[in-house]
């Protein structure tokens, strides 16, 4: 994805990119420790720490992941910081990222708890269920009542953490689309200019489709509900600020 010339990189965006790169380099050197401490685990996991809803925004899975996110932060974050200033942009960025963590965790809880309840209804004890979570093994007889896919998602929700700045970036995308709706954007694989006010809702709609159906059009291992959460919180904040930009109400 690329845009027309959006101007130079702003200071806060530059510093955020540097911090993300430092975290990524540290993860290359100490992958297990960095993931265990700073990725966002399920809140009932023994690996969960209270700071992870913030620190997961600086963690990335691989080079392509961080490259795509930092490119988005540079291209769409800099115009917002130039318009809003450092403090307002930082408040927005972290709020969108925290909103992404909240929605992702809430959806994870729903899926996890629904399987947990189904397991208890067929007579499994808390110890038996914990055995599934710790050992990943189970009596195949339970597949008569619960699909293996649901058991797998139950196990993964507990063990696989969320990483990445994508939720915050989706908030930035939404705000960019609201402030600069007629800016033409271009996809690398579709070299036809599409205005931001059309392109960004289409991207969010794809995530919503993937989140609801479980059929990912963007590849596997993507936290679609985190994207939607970041977009939702970004929309709420950007809409409020735009609506109240000429009065004395301030909460940032």
């Amino acid at each position: 994805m690329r845009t027309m010339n959006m101007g130079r990189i702003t200071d806060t965006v530059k510093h955020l990119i540097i911090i993300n790169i430092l975290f990524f380099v540290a993860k290359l050197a100490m992958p297990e420790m960095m993931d265990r401490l700073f990725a966002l685990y399920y809140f009932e996991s023994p690996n969960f720490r209270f700071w992870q809803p913030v620190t997961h925004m600086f963690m990335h899975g691989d080079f392509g992941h961080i490259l795509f996110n930092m490119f988005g932060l540079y291209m769409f974050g800099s115009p917002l910081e130039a318009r809003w200033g450092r403090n307002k942009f930082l408040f927005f960025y972290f709020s969108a990222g925290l909103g992404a963590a909240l929605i992702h965790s809430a959806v994870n809880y729903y899926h996890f708890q629904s399987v947990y309840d189904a397991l208890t209804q067929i007579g499994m004890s808390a110890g038996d269920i914990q055995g599934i979570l710790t050992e990943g093994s189970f009596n195949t007889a339970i597949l008569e009542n619960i699909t293996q896919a649901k058991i797998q998602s139950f196990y993964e929700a507990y063990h696989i953490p969320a990483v990445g700045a994508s939720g915050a970036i989706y908030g930035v995308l939404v705000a960019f689309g609201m402030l600069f709706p007629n800016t033409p954007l271009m996809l690398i694989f579709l070299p036809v200019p599409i205005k931001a006010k059309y392109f960004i809702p289409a991207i969010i709609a794809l995530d919503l489709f993937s989140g609801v159906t479980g059929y990912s059009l963007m590849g596997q291992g993507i936290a679609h509900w985190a994207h939607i959460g970041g977009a939702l919180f970004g929309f709420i904040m950007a809409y409020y600020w735009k609506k109240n930009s000429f009065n004395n109400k301030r909460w940032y």
Side-chain angles (χ1 to χ4, degrees), residues 225-237:
W225 287 108
H227 294 176
I228 295 165
L232 175 63
F233 275 70
F235 172 79
I236 292 170
M237 288 184 290

Side-chain angles (χ1 to χ4, degrees), residues 63-234:
F63 181 73
H65 190 201
I66 189 173
L67 178 65
F68 182 82
N69 279 344
M70 294 305 98
F71 178 75
L73 177 57
Y74 158 62
M75 294 303 293
F76 303 107
S78 291
L80 294 184
E81 185 186 354
R83 172 70 68 90
W84 285 339
R86 180 192 64 187
N87 292 343
K88 187 172 181 178
F89 176 76
L90 277 175
F91 179 89
F92 180 90
Y93 182 82
F94 281 104
S95 295
L98 289 171
L102 176 64
I103 299 300
H104 171 78
S105 297
V107 172
N108 248 16
Y109 174 77
Y110 170 77
H111 289 301
F112 179 92
Q113 198 62 42
S114 64
V115 176
Y116 190 97
D117 291 342
L119 291 172
T120 59
Q121 287 171 10
I122 63 174
M124 292 192 70
S125 67
D128 293 334
I129 296 173
Q130 189 60 40
I132 295 176
L133 293 174
T134 55
E135 301 172 14
S137 60
F138 55 90
N139 188 327
T140 55
I142 69 174
L143 296 178
E144 297 176 5
N145 304 94
I146 305 171
T147 66
Q148 186 165 351
K150 286 189 175 181
I151 295 294
Q152 183 69 23
S153 66
F154 175 71
Y155 180 85
E156 291 177 352
Y158 189 78
H159 286 286
I160 298 180
V163 296
S166 302
I169 301 300
Y170 265 67
V172 167
L173 276 172
V174 168
F176 179 90
M178 293 175 70
L179 292 178
F180 309 100
N182 294 313
T183 300
L185 308 178
M186 295 180 69
L187 292 171
I188 293 173
F189 54 83
L190 183 65
V192 178
I194 305 173
K195 291 183 178 180
K197 62 184 178 183
Y198 303 126
F199 173 77
I200 294 170
I203 291 294
I204 297 169
L206 287 177
D207 270 297
L208 184 60
F209 171 83
S210 297
V212 170
T213 65
Y215 180 75
S216 179
L217 300 173
M218 304 177 185
Q220 299 303 309
I222 297 175
H224 295 289
W225 287 108
H227 294 176
I228 295 165
L232 175 63
F233 275 70

